[in-house]
Amino acid sequence: MQPDIEDIAEEAEGTGEGFSTAPLVVLGIALAILLSYALVKFFINRARGGLPEVDTSAVVHPAEFETDTALRFEDVKVSFATEFGTVDAVKGVSFDIKPGEVVAVVGESGSGKSVTSSTAMGLMADNAKVSGRVFLDGKEVTNISPAKLRSLRGDEIAMVFQEPMTALNPVLKVSDQLVEALQVHNKAFGREALAQAVRLLAEVGIPDPEKRIHEYPHQFSGGQRQRIVIAMAIACNPKMIIADEPTTALDVTVQAEILDLMRRLKDDLNTGILLITHNMGVVADMADRVVVMFQGEVVESGPVNKILLEPEHAYTKRLLEAMPTLGEANIEVNEPTPAEGEDSAMPSVDPEAELHLEAKDLALAYKNKGRSTRVVEGVNFAVARGEILGLVGESGSGKSTVAKAVLGLLEVEEGELLVRGQNLPKLPRAQQKALRREIGVVFQDPAASLDPRFPIGEIITEPMVVHKVGTPKERTARAEELLDAVKLPRTVINRYPHELSGGQRQRISIARAMALSPSILIADEPTSALDVSVQARVLDMFAELQEQYDFACLFVTHDLAVVDQLADQIMVMEKGRVVEQGRKEQILRSPREDYTKRLLAAAPVPHPEEQRIRREARRELLASQGLRRD
């Protein structure tokens, strides 16, 4: 029997229940929201079709000050309450920055540099206790309300962080992020804000800014992303810019470009800059005055020439002595190219040398969805027993890709990769595993490469367990022997990675790499994450181990001073190809190729006058090669 709709309706009326209109209301609201979204997208797309005719010539103009000091710290103290007690991070720091002046704050990790700068921005953790006073153009900022602090950030004081990819929102286009910075501080709105954002990108040297402003951060290179962060920092013409290690994550050539940009903007904007860094070459290149911090205190301060050339405090002297120095190079603008028939990209092999690692016409590619993209082409090199080959070049040049291929983490698409005379890619899987016992590896970040759940002893002996070498007692003895070799006490064998410092963790990584007494060691940027003094100790230890164990080493880095200290040979790579290689003395003192010259000219040295001369020479070199410079 079919139900009668009328009976159902009458029954509903009798019980006081009827058909609800609520779903129709909800549907109407949803349609209104969709229509509003469509209209907004329409007007945004219309705005993108052409920039408005607005005056954007004054997007960047000099900051105006009411006092003669941009930023001043007076007896600033910061302590943190932890479960283990109170930690005094900053202990009465006082210094100031004038308009248009660059003051560099230097010191090792834990010295209090970044914590001190954070007090000016009000970016302190909940467990922090701050005393003392901080003045921004005469206005105290330590005790103002959170709302007023938010209005100051980005408007009167801005920050450039070390890693641009974490400072930019990866899911928002660059246009959205720049426009937001302008709109939040009531500088510009709508199409005018978009036009000013384009002008800002042009100001910091982003090519084709009208089109690229609608791209996402991941579509830009590392140096371009840092330029975008700087564009956001100067968007509101701030009185102060705090630059916290702004070039540490960048290649030497990109670093030089960013420093040139910051120097020009500083002059144009008359902005005070607080530069936090541990690179004394960057200090020599940028700073007017230097403040040296150690364990939360200022131990020395003064003009850059005085601090770098005539330091008085023992800690400052140690920092400068620990800096690896790049020897003087003869970089001639019009130096002739190699003689006819001489290929500077090919290795010079001693026929009597015992080669442990060799590449012949090596080609490497990344595969994705069945498609192969060549990233390394025609690479040839040879590393003999007891030698270190320094592999240098910018990011994306193929350095780490070559290292991955040697480790067996990337298939060889073409050519030969010989390990102790055997072509590794062509061997059966079992023989490949046996041959990989000959290869040790040290990665860039020890915190990421050490398993936090394992004690140090198990971390060091893990390669022995994987390759079934030795008894448990023999493995423990080997771990203790290696701890002695890397100059760590045997008592750390039962401790965990988080209980050690960064330099100690990297020593553990090196000890693990040496567990099977490899004949080949791959070191991928092993010191770039370390403080300068810790780096010096690790490099000294590395050289001692290499002399003791006589292994062949492929040392990947972008720091030419480190290569100058360690390497026997150098191979320079650009865009997946070898540009030049040879003995260290020839590559670093008398380079032949334009790209090598640019790398050397961009490397800063910790001597203000020498760095000024190098900067001018670099400008001449770039001009002679027809390259744009900011």
Side-chain angles (χ1 to χ4, degrees), residues 290-324:
V290 183
V291 174
V292 184
M293 291 189 67
F294 176 60
Q295 295 183 350
E297 298 180 305
V298 174
V299 296
E300 189 170 4
S301 64
V304 63
N305 284 2
K306 172 72 169 58
I307 299 299
L308 295 188
L309 303 182
E310 300 174 2
E312 295 179 357
H313 197 275
Y315 178 70
T316 311
K317 294 177 181 178
R318 287 205 307 271
L319 281 180
L320 291 168
E321 289 169 359
M323 275 290 295

Side-chain angles (χ1 to χ4, degrees), residues 1 11 53 127 164 206 232 336 349 356 385 536 601:
M1 180 178 177
E11 184 177 348
E53 295 182 1
N127 64 333
I206 298 293
M232 293 176 67
V349 181
H356 280 191
R385 176 181 179 179

Side-chain angles (χ1 to χ4, degrees), residues 279-578:
N279 189 328
M280 294 300 184
V282 171
V283 172
D285 199 23
M286 278 290 294
D288 300 304
R289 288 191 294 123
V290 183
V291 174
V292 184
M293 291 189 67
F294 176 60
Q295 295 183 350
E297 298 180 305
V298 174
V299 296
E300 189 170 4
S301 64
V304 63
N305 284 2
K306 172 72 169 58
I307 299 299
L308 295 188
L309 303 182
E310 300 174 2
E312 295 179 357
H313 197 275
Y315 178 70
T316 311
K317 294 177 181 178
R318 287 205 307 271
L319 281 180
L320 291 168
E321 289 169 359
M323 275 290 295
T325 55
L326 182 63
E328 186 176 349
N330 180 27
I331 306 174
E332 296 292 339
V333 171
N334 297 314
E335 188 176 343
T337 54
E340 185 178 351
E342 184 180 355
D343 190 351
S344 60
M346 293 295 292
S348 177
V349 181
D350 183 352
E352 298 182 2
E354 182 185 347
L355 298 181
H356 280 191
L357 182 63
E358 191 175 4
K360 297 180 179 180
D361 296 322
L362 189 67
L364 306 172
Y366 287 109
K367 297 179 180 179
N368 183 31
K369 297 180 181 179
R371 298 179 62 182
S372 180
T373 303
R374 285 262 178 113
V375 290
V376 170
E377 187 86 50
V379 169
N380 295 273
F381 63 84
V383 191
R385 176 181 179 179
E387 277 196 338
I388 297 178
L389 172 64
L391 189 50
V392 301
E394 297 171 300
S395 293
S397 62
K399 308 186 303 293
S400 294
T401 303
V402 170
K404 287 179 182 177
V406 176
L407 292 169
L409 301 177
L410 188 66
E411 290 185 8
V412 172
E413 188 165 86
E414 192 176 300
E416 295 179 299
L417 185 59
L418 305 177
V419 176
R420 301 293 296 270
Q422 300 183 68
N423 191 9
L424 184 64
K426 299 298 183 182
L427 295 177
R429 188 177 298 271
Q431 288 182 270
Q432 283 188 10
K433 182 178 179 180
L435 193 58
R436 287 199 184 104
R437 286 182 52 179
E438 300 285 336
I439 307 173
V441 59
V442 181
F443 294 101
Q444 177 175 354
D445 186 356
S449 61
L450 302 180
D451 194 321
R453 301 167 300 172
F454 285 9
I456 299 304
E458 291 185 26
I459 288 174
I460 293 175
T461 58
E462 185 180 13
M464 301 178 73
V465 174
V466 170
H467 290 280
K468 300 177 181 178
V469 176
T471 64
K473 186 176 180 180
E474 290 171 338
R475 293 169 188 165
T476 300
R478 178 61 173 165
E480 292 175 341
E481 177 189 335
L482 289 168
L483 286 173
D484 292 338
V486 297
K487 296 179 173 58
L488 285 176
R490 293 189 177 191
T491 53
V492 306
I493 198 167
N494 292 318
R495 295 169 68 181
Y496 288 84
H498 72 272
E499 299 179 87
L500 305 179
S501 68
Q504 289 174 326
R505 285 196 291 261
Q506 195 61 296
R507 288 168 184 257
I508 297 300
S509 297
I510 295 172
R512 178 180 59 182
M514 300 302 300
L516 294 172
S517 300
S519 58
I520 299 168
L521 188 67
I522 309 299
D524 191 359
E525 300 276 10
T527 60
S528 63
L530 305 177
D531 289 321
V532 61
S533 57
V534 178
Q535 172 182 273
R537 291 194 292 270
V538 170
L539 290 176
D540 288 342
M541 181 203 67
F542 196 93
E544 290 176 14
L545 288 175
Q546 200 267 345
E547 185 176 349
Q548 178 181 348
Y549 290 97
D550 208 26
F551 51 78
C553 179
L554 189 63
F555 196 97
V556 179
T557 185
H558 65 262
D559 192 329
L560 297 177
V562 169
V563 166
D564 196 3
Q565 180 176 330
L566 276 183
D568 301 294
Q569 299 185 70
I570 294 177
M571 182 168 74
V572 183
M573 291 191 68
E574 180 189 22
K575 297 178 181 178
R577 292 184 177 274
V578 177

